Each structure stands twice: as structure tokens, then as C-alpha cells.
Amino acid sequence: MKTKILLAFAILVCAAITSSAQVNEGRYLLGGNSGFYKNQPSGESTSEVFNTNIQFGKVIKDNTVAGIFLSFGYSNGVQYKMNQFGAGVFYRKYKPLAKDLYFFGEGDALYNYSKTTQNDFQIGSSGTRNSFNGGSLSFIPGISYSICKRMQMELAMPNLVSLSYGVSKNETTNTGTSAVSSQKINNFSAGVTLNSNLLYSFGIGFKFLLGK
């Protein structure tokens, strides 16, 4: 239902524009999203989740975009607190299929940092901190349609191919003895999304083309 509403709104906004959108050199690509969730069950404490990301690039030559993206998120609850930061670069190539319809492939390189703090109130004598530093490479294919001069609707499948490496560090503090135990773990993963649920991995989004 939300997808239909967004699509209808975009069509109404662009109904008066008759010229076709082009991914031409010198223009700019802008996209992103934000989300906030707050939950407070009756008689219980509040938990909050917020995340946002923005993608900005320049068309360095016709049908080729290079740029950056940034992300931030946090989550707060009774026993935990988490902050996450991310930054990266992307390179996107469009291949025209028909009038206003493109196939695209996008390569992403991302650095990510997160920190989580958790207290064990049931025991009342320990706390845990977890930090993560890592990077990832991924490839995203998709279809883009220019619904008006300055807006594209796209159907993309994130992380068709992905490669990631990171280091997580866990620290546990006993508040009674002040003793600290720590553990460091190296994480490496590689994956290809090819299974019977492939079609369910697609997501719908919008991008804005700025400039002349």
C-alpha cells in the first residue's frame, strides 16, 4: 500500500513535466532514506530506533555516476545503547534499455563502525561493551525508470554479491571486582544471493537528478 501511495504521489508531482530525464554528464544524483521507531508498552520503558542514510553523486560522463554515501543510526533501550556510523563510495553505470528505462549496476565500498553498551540489571554486577570496525564491498543490480525530468524510480536488489571483513571487540566489566575481560574476533564473509527467494530481495526506491 505504501509503495502505491508513493508512486501515485510521484506521478502527480511530475504530471506537468513532459521532457524526458537523461543521465547526462554534469548532473547530480541524490537519494536516501530515514526511519524512526518508538515503542512504549503499557507500564514498560521506552525503546527507540533511528537510522538514516544519504547517497550523493555526480554524473562524471553520460550514464556514469560516482559519489559518496553516509549513514548513521542509534538504538536505545532499558538495558542497551547502540550507535552506528558508516561512510563509503559508489560507482554506478547505466545501460539504456528503452525510452526512459535503464539497467544499472552499482559497486559500493563501505566502512562501518558500531558500538553497543549493555548492562545486566538482573544480576546488577556486570556490563558489556561491543565495538565493531569493518569494511565491505558489494554489487547491486537494478532497473531504473525516469518517471519525470528530475525523478527516477528504481527496482534494485542490494548485495547480490558481497565481500566483508571486520573486527569485533567484546569487553565485560564486573562492577564488584572491577575486573575486565576482553575478546577480539575477526569476521570475514563472502556471499552471492542466488536462491528461490531472489525476487523477494528486490526493493523499490527513488533517486533525484539535479542540475540541467
Side-chain angles (χ1 to χ4, degrees), residues 3 6 28 42 57 60 101 114 116 122-123 132 135 153 206-207:
T3 299
L6 287 173
Y28 297 90
S42 179
I60 56 176
L101 182 67
S114 65
T116 304
Q122 293 182 344
I123 299 177
F132 176 84
M153 182 180 69
F206 294 93
K207 293 289 188 297

Side-chain angles (χ1 to χ4, degrees), residues 75-117:
S75 178
N76 292 324
V78 178
Q79 296 182 343
Y80 69 93
K81 180 178 181 179
M82 186 276 289
N83 290 295
Q84 175 271 327
F85 305 90
V89 296
F90 73 93
Y91 182 85
R92 175 182 286 210
K93 189 74 175 180
Y94 289 90
K95 178 68 175 178
L97 300 176
K99 178 178 170 59
D100 297 330
L101 182 67
Y102 301 85
F103 169 81
F104 69 83
E106 179 179 308
D108 294 343
L110 172 69
Y111 166 77
N112 188 67
Y113 170 80
S114 65
K115 182 178 180 179
T116 304
T117 303

Side-chain angles (χ1 to χ4, degrees), residues 25-88:
E25 183 178 354
R27 304 191 73 183
Y28 297 90
L29 188 74
L30 176 65
N33 61 71
S34 296
F36 178 77
Y37 173 75
K38 185 174 183 179
N39 184 34
Q40 187 174 15
S42 179
E44 298 184 24
S45 299
T46 302
S47 61
E48 297 178 348
V49 177
F50 172 78
N51 60 77
T52 185
N53 66 75
I54 185 170
Q55 184 179 34
F56 181 78
K58 182 176 181 179
V59 184
I60 56 176
K61 63 179 181 179
D62 288 356
N63 298 325
T64 303
V65 184
I68 63 172
F69 50 85
L70 302 171
S71 67
F72 168 74
Y74 72 82
S75 178
N76 292 324
V78 178
Q79 296 182 343
Y80 69 93
K81 180 178 181 179
M82 186 276 289
N83 290 295
Q84 175 271 327
F85 305 90

